[in-house]
Amino acid sequence: MSTENLPQSPEQSPQRPPRKPRVAVVFGGRSSEHGISVVTAGAVLAAIDRTKYDVLPIGITRDGRWALTADEPERMAITDRRTPDVEELAESTEGGVLLPVDPANREVVYSEPGSVPKALGEVDVVFPVLHGPYGEDGTLQGLLELSGVPYVGAGVLASAVGQDKEYMKAVFDSYGLKVGPYAVIRPREWEQDRSAARRKIVDFAGEHGWPLFVKPARAGSSIGITKVDDLAGLDEAIEEARRHDPKILVEAALRGREIECGVLEFEDGPRASVPAEIPPPSEHSYYDFEAKYIDSTPGVVPAPLTDEETAEVRRLAVAAFDAASCEGLVRADFFLTEDDEFVINEINTMPGFTPISMFPQMWQATGVSYPELVDRLVRAALRRPTGLR
């Protein structure tokens, strides 16, 4: 491919004035949330202030290749109920982007078979908008820590905790946050004795009642989740969850209202947004993937709560942020039960981030616009060193 339009390294332009910070927006990835990550990247690329930052879009294909992609946010939207793909945006079917592995060198290199590698210049901060395993779960964060490159969002530990719903709930419980009843079926349990694993779930249902929600333990965007009303649907639900993750989580259904709250890192620490409520979607049995992203079921912002309830959910959202040692941003999801108690369902360390997603909508209602939200996250990452902190 031609490299004449690629970003140039500062060393190639000695008369150039001091450059703007370069932000690498990394998206796509190997998880089942690949398409939503691309949609999120399109929104970020459209909003980031080009007068303040140089931008380098890097897509990770479904098979793990790091590709230089077109900086064309308009191509990164859901079209005809179909999510976009990095392969469609890649400048080449073979070329690859290489991040630095030496903390003393932040230069990114582009390489194609049979061609001389091309320096793309230094990257000052990475904005990873990956969702799910192999990106949101601490794996990319660990690579960036080794490379000494600052990045937006949670670190290795918080990312891993935020991705694995079992350990997330254990952490919250240990910090005194109320969690709902759940059971875990580990891969070895299922592989060694499926009958015993099923009995474990049936016993759980006997204690907590139907319906149950059967989920991949380490996935998001409501992918792979099945609402199971009785024993007849259990096996199919287990297989669907295991298509995305060999470890599954089973949760008791909680009766109440779904309330979400955003947390954003400011200079003086984390602050919570006004909360939102997710009303039951009219055409779906629960707030599943299609309700969230395809049919765009609207949330209610701000949530119709009392002043006391609003203050409490905001307090709990920041408490969850701190319990998991989060940085940058988090969306915390709760149920407000019929007993007027907030039960935390989960956090998302890289929540859906399109302009219609709940996290940006909550901050818009709090007084932080989408472009300002992106800018605050980049500036927070630039302030924060890599390594132990």
Side-chain angles (χ1 to χ4, degrees):
M1 69 174 245
S2 171
T3 58
E4 63 181 8
N5 294 321
L6 293 179
Q8 298 297 306
S9 173
E11 291 76 18
Q12 296 173 300
S13 306
Q15 303 305 315
R16 181 180 176 181
R19 65 176 177 83
K20 297 173 285 189
R22 180 173 285 116
V23 181
V25 179
V26 179
F27 59 96
R30 294 162 55 192
S31 84
S32 53
E33 298 175 76
H34 177 101
I36 291 304
S37 173
V38 179
V39 174
T40 296
V44 171
L45 288 170
I48 196 166
D49 188 345
R50 305 307 178 98
T51 67
K52 295 174 66 174
Y53 307 106
D54 286 332
V55 180
L56 180 66
I58 300 174
I60 302 177
T61 64
R62 293 180 189 273
D63 62 3
R65 179 172 67 92
W66 290 52
L68 188 67
T69 68
D71 186 3
E72 300 176 5
E74 65 278 4
R75 294 174 57 193
M76 302 181 185
I78 295 173
T79 306
D80 297 327
R81 304 180 69 86
R82 176 181 171 274
T83 57
D85 192 286
V86 167
E87 288 285 6
E88 302 166 351
L89 302 163
E91 296 280 5
S92 165
T93 58
E94 295 182 314
V97 174
L98 303 176
L99 287 184
V101 293
D102 179 359
N105 174 25
R106 293 182 181 174
E107 189 163 75
V108 175
V109 173
Y110 178 81
S111 177
E112 276 192 321
S115 300
V116 176
K118 178 76 173 180
L120 303 183
E122 292 188 350
V123 165
D124 298 287
V125 63
V126 169
F127 199 134
V129 291
L130 296 151
H131 301 308
Y134 314 110
E136 189 184 351
D137 59 350
T139 50
L140 176 64
Q141 290 74 14
L143 172 64
L144 296 172
E145 291 285 355
L146 288 172
S147 302
V149 179
Y151 54 91
V152 168
V156 175
L157 173 65
S159 297
V161 168
Q163 188 65 42
D164 192 311
K165 294 177 175 62
E166 175 191 3
Y167 291 102
M168 181 198 309
K169 290 176 184 291
V171 167
F172 290 154
D173 184 57
S174 71
Y175 274 80
L177 281 79
K178 180 73 173 178
V179 299
Y182 67 97
V184 178
I185 304 296
R186 298 175 180 277
R188 187 164 54 191
E189 290 181 81
W190 183 252
E191 292 158 5
Q192 291 184 351
D193 193 339
R194 295 190 178 190
S195 295
R198 286 192 192 93
R199 284 197 302 273
K200 181 177 178 180
I201 299 174
V202 172
D203 290 345
F204 179 82
E207 182 178 358
H208 299 288
W210 302 91
L212 302 176
F213 287 90
V214 179
K215 304 179 175 183
R218 294 163 292 193
S221 297
S222 296
I223 290 175
I225 298 177
T226 304
K227 181 182 179 183
V228 184
D229 294 313
D230 52 42
L231 188 59
L234 183 58
D235 284 355
E236 185 178 350
I238 293 171
E239 290 301 327
E240 172 60 18
R242 282 179 52 82
R243 283 200 315 112
H244 302 277
D245 188 344
K247 182 168 79 166
I248 66 172
L249 189 83
V250 180
E251 293 178 336
L254 295 177
R255 299 186 184 280
R257 300 161 61 188
E258 290 191 49
I259 306 295
E260 298 184 349
C261 191
V263 180
L264 184 63
E265 184 179 1
F266 285 73
E267 288 80 359
D268 59 351
R271 301 182 198 172
S273 70
V274 300
E277 180 169 4
I278 308 299
S282 58
E283 297 181 4
H284 302 266
S285 61
Y286 65 98
Y287 194 44
D288 61 8
F289 177 86
E290 290 210 349
K292 284 182 179 180
Y293 296 108
I294 304 301
D295 296 325
S296 301
T297 300
V300 180
V301 187
L305 301 170
T306 67
D307 291 345
E308 292 77 12
E309 289 168 339
T310 296
E312 177 64 359
V313 75
R314 295 177 83 169
R315 182 188 72 80
L316 291 171
V318 172
F321 183 97
D322 287 337
S325 296
C326 294
E327 295 167 296
L329 73 163
V330 148
R331 192 194 70 233
D333 301 345
F334 298 85
F335 289 101
L336 178 55
T337 69
E338 295 173 342
D339 298 327
D340 294 324
E341 183 176 37
F342 282 107
V343 177
I344 188 164
N345 183 37
E346 63 182 32
I347 59 169
N348 198 314
T349 57
M350 182 49 69
F353 210 79
T354 70
I356 65 169
S357 297
M358 295 313 302
F359 185 86
Q361 285 193 55
M362 289 186 287
W363 278 107
Q364 177 76 42
T366 312
V368 180
S369 68
Y370 190 93
E372 183 184 351
L373 190 58
V374 171
D375 185 59
R376 280 192 171 277
L377 289 169
V378 173
R379 285 190 284 121
L382 288 168
R383 287 195 306 268
R384 190 173 67 230
T386 55
L388 297 178
R389 51 188 182 272

